[in-house]
Amino acid sequence: MSQPPGQLTFVAPRRAKPARHLADLSMADRRAAVTELGEKAFRADQLSRHYFERLTSDVGSMTDLPAASRETLSALLPELLTPVREMATDGGTTRKTLWRLFDGALVESVLMRYPDRVTMCVSSQAGCGMNCPFCATGQAGLTRNMSTAEIVEQVVSGARALAAGEVPGGPGRVSNVVFMGMGEPLANYKQVIGAVRRLVEPAPQGLGISARGVTVSTVGLVPAIGKLADEGLPVTLALSLHAPDDELRDTLVPINTRWKVAEVLDAAWAYAARTKRRVSIEYALIKDINDQEWRADLLGKLVKNKLVHVNLIPLNPTPGSKWTASRPEDERAFVRRLQFHGVAVTVRDTRGREIDGACGQLAAAE
């Protein structure tokens, strides 16, 4: 259900919760859960090794567990995501999967294999309540928050496909995770932080991905950016800015009516100072809307001499949208103006555009 223009939804509708899963729990909580099921606590370590190291949820194959224990312990490995459809492009190295959750909600994740890394783009909410008008997900409204394990399982699924050699390029592993799929990650704060911890904790507690390979995106929930800085997790913060002036950003990114550009950038600089991690400024270039050279100058002045990198994103088309990507010459001029101010800038590769898997295109339609 779409939202009226500019309306924000911070609190997800109350719905039934998915079954408790091993990945929802810290190691101590897993041991407690196993004990509650009448099993010895060390079975939690065995289950964790199977799930996070061997990437399996099939208790029948866990021959180091007594046959009588397997069915009992299967309660901690419920099926959370059911694949509905998979689409591929780039010779099979970019794969978008549409998932159905236990309650029928639909989400999407994207695996992107590059020569030097494999990145998983994951969803953190079914839909999104931030209502950015150029984003297909934002136009769909918010269905519900995802659980920690539902988020983690997207990455584990990608890791399984890589380990099995299903992605061209031979067996591999997930090296990077970006919370840039459906949803506003910091509006589902507790579950997203739980997922980040499962991703970066060493096996068998978690997947053992470097925290420096994890990027958490936000449209600018200022208090949550402050909380994230205090978590002790050196993940990259990606700020979806899209306009350097309040007048335009109020329209493009409605959260700006709550926290203005200056406040959001102050929170980003505080995050960089606390974590020593370079902030990524995400900026979708939209033809004749936010791609003027004077706006590039204003952005350059706002971010120069900061621990920052600007990631320009050619706007990806979405059905029914009146907006489109900037002209190539305007894109080049925007880059030049930022470089004039000494700002590090790149133009993002539009991986997955052909399968509606690129930035801003995820709509989870059957």
Side-chain angles (χ1 to χ4, degrees):
M1 192 177 78
S2 62
Q3 305 180 88
Q7 179 178 308
L8 297 163
T9 305
F10 290 98
V11 180
R14 295 187 70 84
R15 291 172 65 130
K17 292 184 177 179
R20 181 178 65 167
H21 188 283
L22 185 81
D24 287 313
L25 307 173
S26 67
M27 204 67 197
D29 288 340
R30 288 175 217 168
R31 292 180 184 129
V34 164
T35 305
E36 283 169 24
L37 292 171
E39 298 287 337
K40 291 186 169 62
F42 73 88
R43 299 290 181 208
D45 301 60
Q46 291 176 295
L47 270 187
S48 298
R49 272 195 292 278
H50 283 292
Y51 183 73
F52 286 107
E53 289 184 357
R54 295 170 194 155
L55 306 173
T56 182
S57 298
D58 176 19
V59 289
S61 67
M62 299 178 188
T63 52
D64 57 338
L65 299 176
S69 300
R70 291 177 207 166
E71 189 171 344
T72 303
L73 292 171
S74 69
L76 288 173
L77 291 170
E79 188 175 342
L80 297 176
L81 309 180
T82 304
V84 176
R85 184 178 62 248
E86 190 166 273
M87 300 174 73
T89 186
D90 301 318
T93 58
T94 300
R95 293 155 52 113
K96 180 177 82 165
T97 306
L98 174 65
W99 304 101
R100 179 174 283 110
L101 309 181
F102 82 100
D103 56 355
L106 297 169
V107 299
E108 292 179 316
S109 61
V110 184
L111 181 151
M112 294 162 283
R113 185 171 206 163
Y114 300 89
D116 61 337
R117 67 190 188 282
V118 179
T119 298
M120 283 293 310
C121 177
V122 299
S123 294
S124 54
Q125 296 178 308
C128 183
M130 296 298 102
N131 208 3
C132 299
F134 56 90
C135 173
T137 312
Q139 292 308 286
L142 178 61
T143 300
R144 71 167 172 89
N145 286 330
M146 295 178 70
S147 70
T148 287
E150 286 174 327
I151 298 168
V152 172
E153 179 64 14
Q154 295 170 77
V155 182
V156 170
S157 174
R160 283 190 194 115
L162 285 160
E166 295 171 13
V167 182
R173 62 186 296 277
V174 176
S175 56
N176 298 71
V177 178
V178 295
F179 284 77
M180 293 182 177
M182 301 176 70
E184 161 55 51
L186 296 189
N188 185 20
Y189 188 87
K190 183 180 177 184
Q191 285 70 28
V192 164
I193 293 302
V196 171
R197 293 195 184 282
R198 293 306 97 74
L199 296 178
V200 305
E201 285 164 345
Q205 294 180 61
L207 282 171
I209 296 170
S210 167
R212 292 175 176 269
V214 177
T215 297
V216 177
S217 175
T218 180
V219 291
L221 277 66
V222 167
I225 294 171
K227 280 177 69 177
L228 183 63
D230 292 335
E231 292 286 350
L233 292 164
V235 299
T236 298
L237 177 73
L239 173 61
S240 296
L241 193 67
H242 305 310
D245 54 305
D246 287 323
E247 183 180 10
L248 179 58
R249 195 169 190 264
D250 282 351
T251 303
L252 292 183
V253 189
I255 195 73
N256 203 71
T257 60
R258 178 88 47 112
W259 293 291
K260 297 299 185 184
V261 170
E263 292 174 87
V264 173
L265 289 177
D266 281 348
W269 309 147
Y271 182 88
R274 185 74 189 272
T275 62
K276 307 295 189 284
R277 300 288 290 142
R278 187 170 69 165
V279 170
S280 179
I281 300 289
E282 310 289 302
Y283 196 105
L285 283 171
I286 309 172
K287 179 183 172 185
D288 298 331
I289 300 294
N290 66 350
D291 61 355
Q292 303 88 349
E293 285 191 61
W294 72 265
R295 281 198 161 95
D297 267 324
L298 179 53
L299 178 61
K301 290 170 185 171
L302 288 173
V303 306
K304 70 179 181 180
N305 302 323
K306 301 292 186 181
L307 193 59
V308 69
H309 176 267
V310 174
N311 197 3
L312 298 177
I313 309 161
L315 185 75
N316 293 301
T318 56
S321 175
K322 63 184 179 181
W323 290 322
T324 188
S326 299
R327 303 172 193 87
E329 59 269 27
D330 292 336
E331 179 186 292
R332 289 191 294 268
F334 205 94
V335 169
R336 282 197 303 271
R337 294 313 301 164
L338 288 174
Q339 290 172 333
F340 171 79
H341 292 282
V343 175
V345 55
T346 51
V347 179
R348 181 184 289 174
D349 171 18
T350 54
R351 275 272 191 128
R353 179 181 280 186
E354 303 86 351
I355 55 173
D356 290 340
C359 187
Q361 290 186 312
L362 301 186
E366 284 194 84

